[in-house]
Amino acid sequence: MPDFVRLITVEGGEPKERDPVALMTLVLPQVPIIVGDAPTTILGAFAGKASLGGTIGPDADWNIPADVVHVVIPQLTASRAWSLPDVDGYPYGQDLVIVDEGRFLGAGLTLTLGPLAGSGDTLPPWTNNLIPLDSAGAYVRLRRGVLSNVWVTV
């Protein structure tokens, strides 16, 4: 290790050289901080924040997992219904995008999005709390609302 990157700790009254990277990897995530008015840690502040990634959904009825942020609609063999994750478990500021990138919808094939059964979530202003995607290239972009149990179309 270069001389300019050294960490000396004291153990039993004696100085001891430590690997600073290994020690900081253990310590930094636990450093207390305040976010807004809430005390947390650095690790806690980053938990539940916006994510990157994409998933190709199944050609089946499906409950979209809470860790998914971008879903591509596959070529469907029949019309399908997908349930959105429980909005209360979704990170604030994180968009959920569902898109027909392959332009497979239409000609009678539809994908209907609705709230997860039992979640109490709503999808204003969609009729019957359902979002129909029925044309080639259709998409929807949703975000957790500030109010409880609300998906907002962005």
Side-chain angles (χ1 to χ4, degrees):
M1 177 178 312
D3 285 340
F4 64 89
V5 181
R6 294 175 38 175
L7 177 65
I8 307 296
T9 63
V10 176
E11 279 185 27
E14 297 293 321
K16 181 169 178 140
E17 190 168 335
R18 297 279 189 186
D19 176 5
V21 173
L23 188 63
M24 295 313 286
T25 301
L26 295 173
V27 172
L28 275 180
Q30 303 308 318
V31 172
I33 62 172
I34 303 292
V35 176
D37 293 330
T40 186
T41 63
I42 291 174
L43 187 60
F46 285 104
K49 295 302 177 199
S51 305
L52 297 175
T55 301
I56 298 174
D59 178 15
D61 292 343
W62 183 44
N63 292 338
I64 300 172
D67 62 347
V68 170
V69 297
H70 184 112
V71 183
V72 174
I73 301 165
Q75 188 164 8
L76 301 176
T77 57
S79 292
R80 304 293 182 191
W82 290 355
S83 296
L84 301 169
D86 186 344
V87 75
D88 292 329
Y90 215 72
Y92 285 110
Q94 175 64 61
D95 290 351
L96 171 58
V97 177
I98 302 164
V99 61
D100 180 24
E101 289 180 10
R103 304 183 63 79
F104 298 124
L105 294 177
L109 291 177
T110 63
L111 176 68
T112 302
L113 303 171
L116 183 66
S119 67
D121 294 347
T122 59
L123 297 163
W126 297 95
T127 304
N128 297 323
N129 230 15
L130 298 173
I131 302 172
L133 301 178
D134 55 9
S135 60
Y139 69 93
V140 66
R141 182 175 168 188
L142 301 164
R143 184 175 295 162
R144 178 181 180 171
V146 175
L147 302 176
S148 180
N149 295 331
V150 177
W151 280 107
V152 178
T153 306
V154 182

